[in-house]
Amino acid sequence: MKKPQLFLLHFAGGNCYSYQFMIPFIDEFIVIPLELPGRGNRINESLKRDLNSAAEDICNQILKKLNGSHFMIYGHSLGAILALKVTSMLEGLNRYPSYLFASGDEGPSVNEEKKRYLLDDEGLIQELIKFGGISTEIIESKEFLDYYLPILRADFEIAGKITNSYSVINTPIFSMMGDMEEDVGEISNWEKFTKSFFEYKIFKGGHFFIYDYPEEIVEIISKSYHKSILSYKNE
């Protein structure tokens, strides 16, 4: 029997290499990191700037890669919101993930989405510093910023134009956040978006707490997967 698949959706400014820190700890699943156009292996493609077209892009990638086994979707920050939208699209096509894992975001509709994409370059740089997860040396590189800021701005535009048009999904959700994140108190908001079971865990750390807990996150994914399979068999 083929291994179950785990699709990884990157955060704003990320690419298919964003989860390299976590992949070495995963051997139970076939890991498939995806990426939006305009970065990484898709650098020559046009950037996406709205949620629907970005989600359609990711959805089509997943459909092409499904191998007939169980599959799950994990997304961090922008990737978490995309994961919810993509899961809804997949369910509409009778493709049901075993689990959705959402980290670094409190879910849609808690607060008005911040219009970070309207900031000037210096404002974007300050947002980078606030979020952490990137070294000062890299931020001080003009060559890096010339490449990276347009990508980050496009991804922030997707996040900044998010609406309330989210369907409640049948897929169970497990949410994770760092205890220093601004809206961590709203983490249970994710429960509104699933008809199935919901769980969450709060880690010590900021927005990129994931870098400090790769093994723990993989363990959550594994245990949640087996829980969903057991539930499926008992139906």
Side-chain angles (χ1 to χ4, degrees):
M1 184 177 177
K2 296 177 182 177
K3 286 184 177 183
Q5 296 171 292
L6 175 62
F7 293 95
L8 304 177
L9 310 189
H10 60 73
F11 41 83
N15 56 41
C16 65
Y17 304 106
S18 293
Y19 292 102
Q20 287 299 112
F21 70 96
M22 194 164 71
I23 290 175
F25 300 98
I26 307 173
D27 56 17
E28 186 177 1
F29 311 110
I30 297 173
V31 183
I32 306 173
L34 304 176
E35 66 185 355
L36 290 170
R39 83 283 318 276
N41 294 324
R42 305 180 67 185
I43 186 62
N44 294 323
E45 299 179 48
S46 299
L47 292 160
K48 299 290 185 183
R49 298 182 183 277
D50 68 275
L51 180 68
N52 286 334
S53 64
E56 286 173 6
D57 184 282
I58 295 294
C59 183
N60 288 333
Q61 290 184 66
I62 291 176
L63 289 171
K64 290 176 182 177
K65 295 178 182 295
L66 290 177
N67 65 4
S69 66
H70 295 283
F71 71 99
M72 297 168 292
I73 302 175
Y74 173 94
H76 182 74
S77 196
L78 173 63
I81 298 297
L82 276 172
L84 178 62
K85 190 72 172 180
V86 169
T87 298
S88 178
M89 290 178 172
L90 289 168
E91 289 187 354
L93 298 170
N94 291 315
R95 300 288 191 272
Y96 292 86
S98 298
Y99 236 102
L100 183 150
F101 301 95
S103 65
D105 194 277
E106 71 283 357
S109 310
V110 170
N111 295 310
E112 181 181 355
E113 297 298 332
K114 297 179 176 65
K115 310 296 184 184
R116 295 187 178 95
Y117 65 96
L118 297 176
L119 295 169
D120 60 17
D121 286 355
E122 182 57 36
L124 282 182
I125 292 170
Q126 291 306 312
E127 288 294 304
L128 274 179
I129 294 171
K130 183 177 74 173
F131 281 129
I134 192 165
S135 69
T136 304
E137 292 78 10
I138 292 178
I139 290 177
E140 291 176 349
S141 166
K142 183 181 185 304
E143 182 179 0
F144 169 78
L145 292 177
D146 288 344
Y147 162 79
Y148 187 70
L149 289 184
I151 297 171
L152 187 66
R153 190 181 300 280
D155 289 354
F156 278 162
E157 188 167 352
I158 294 172
K161 292 181 177 178
I162 286 173
T163 67
N164 297 333
S165 59
Y166 286 87
S167 301
V168 178
I169 60 176
N170 295 293
T171 301
I173 297 175
F174 197 114
S175 179
M176 296 167 267
M177 292 184 76
D179 64 357
M180 295 172 63
E181 295 195 75
E182 184 177 354
D183 293 312
V184 63
E186 305 290 345
I187 190 172
S188 60
N189 174 59
W190 281 102
E191 187 172 12
K192 301 175 185 176
F193 297 97
T194 179
K195 298 175 184 176
S196 185
F197 37 86
F198 167 77
E199 295 178 272
Y200 71 85
K201 181 175 177 63
I202 297 173
F203 291 84
K204 290 188 178 298
H207 187 59
F208 284 104
F209 70 90
I210 55 176
Y211 291 136
D212 297 321
Y213 300 97
E215 292 181 87
E216 290 86 348
I217 292 171
V218 171
E219 184 179 5
I220 285 172
I221 293 172
S222 177
K223 287 183 176 179
S224 299
Y225 167 70
H226 288 289
K227 177 180 177 180
S228 71
I229 295 304
L230 181 61
S231 174
Y232 174 78
K233 289 180 178 178
N234 290 335
E235 288 181 354

